[in-house]
Amino acid sequence: MPEPGSTRVRTVRPEAFLFDLDGVLLDTEPLHAIAWRQAATHFGTDLTDGQLALLQGKRRLENSRQVCSWISQPITPEELLAVRQPIAADLMASARAMPGAESLVRYIHSLNLPMALVTSSERTSMQHKIGHHSWVNLLQVQVCGDDSALKAGKPAPDPYKLGASKLNVNPQDCWAIEDSDAGCQSAAEAGCNVWRLMQPVEFARPYSHQAVITIKALSELETQLRRSVQ
């Protein structure tokens, strides 16, 4: 993977930004893991860290079907979600911003560059998560997992193509910021320039793609952007 500032990184200022929500703007991934783990335990199954990593970046119903396949007793996705969602709702109310997220978003806003939120979360869930983070509303467009115009969720390229389309820009002219395998694949296949924010404890496999640049903090991306506008 090329490092920020290397000759392989685009230094031309992008026309727009496409942000994932969970694990990029808000520190919700550990909370999602707790909710899935507790729900599975309710049905007599302990999920491994590796299994939880496979759920990152995908839509809720798809994840529920996946978790049901790991549970030893017959259970429907709806039955699992009936247990899981109240747990998740309580946890998400306390979700904190990822370090550097608000600073980055406000800086991009100061440049008058368009931004879109591209999340697998359903709209009501997204609104609940950002309730105490008004700065997220600086992103002018929101593509959620239950968007009526969305044919397929991550890792399909549809969400990022839709986000770019709603901003009236080409995906190739966008910087997409992600943290999961599914999200990176979605953004890369859409044609975006992808920045992957690596988590302190990284369970997912390192995502290998020439369009993906790994960073350890969002401040690295802000530094690169500031260089590109000088």
Side-chain angles (χ1 to χ4, degrees), residues 54-193:
L54 294 175
L55 306 178
Q56 293 180 4
K58 300 177 183 177
R59 293 190 286 189
R60 179 192 303 164
L61 186 57
E62 294 168 355
N63 281 340
S64 186
R65 290 174 180 144
Q66 178 65 74
V67 174
C68 283
S69 73
W70 296 329
I71 292 176
S72 55
Q73 59 180 285
I75 178 179
T76 67
E78 291 75 19
E79 289 172 328
L80 178 62
L81 288 175
V83 174
R84 191 257 181 192
Q85 288 312 107
I87 299 172
D90 287 343
L91 292 169
M92 295 306 160
S94 62
R96 297 180 179 181
M98 291 293 290
E102 182 174 355
S103 174
L104 175 60
V105 167
R106 291 192 181 280
Y107 178 61
I108 294 170
H109 181 69
S110 74
L111 297 175
N112 294 317
L113 291 173
M115 296 178 281
L117 185 68
V118 182
T119 176
S120 294
S121 296
E122 295 180 4
R123 185 162 298 276
T124 54
S125 176
M126 177 273 295
Q127 291 172 338
H128 178 66
K129 293 174 188 175
I130 69 172
H132 299 294
H133 302 280
S134 60
W135 53 272
V136 178
N137 291 308
L138 293 174
L139 282 68
Q140 302 94 327
V141 165
Q142 298 168 340
V143 175
C144 296
D146 57 350
D147 194 303
S148 60
L150 200 59
K151 295 181 178 180
K154 302 173 186 178
D158 303 52
Y160 279 96
K161 286 184 176 180
L162 181 59
S165 175
K166 286 189 174 186
L167 291 178
N168 295 313
V169 296
N170 293 319
Q172 294 83 356
D173 297 321
C174 297
W175 282 7
I177 302 89
E178 267 287 353
D179 69 308
S180 67
D181 282 355
C184 286
Q185 182 178 337
S186 175
E189 291 188 2
C192 303
N193 298 282

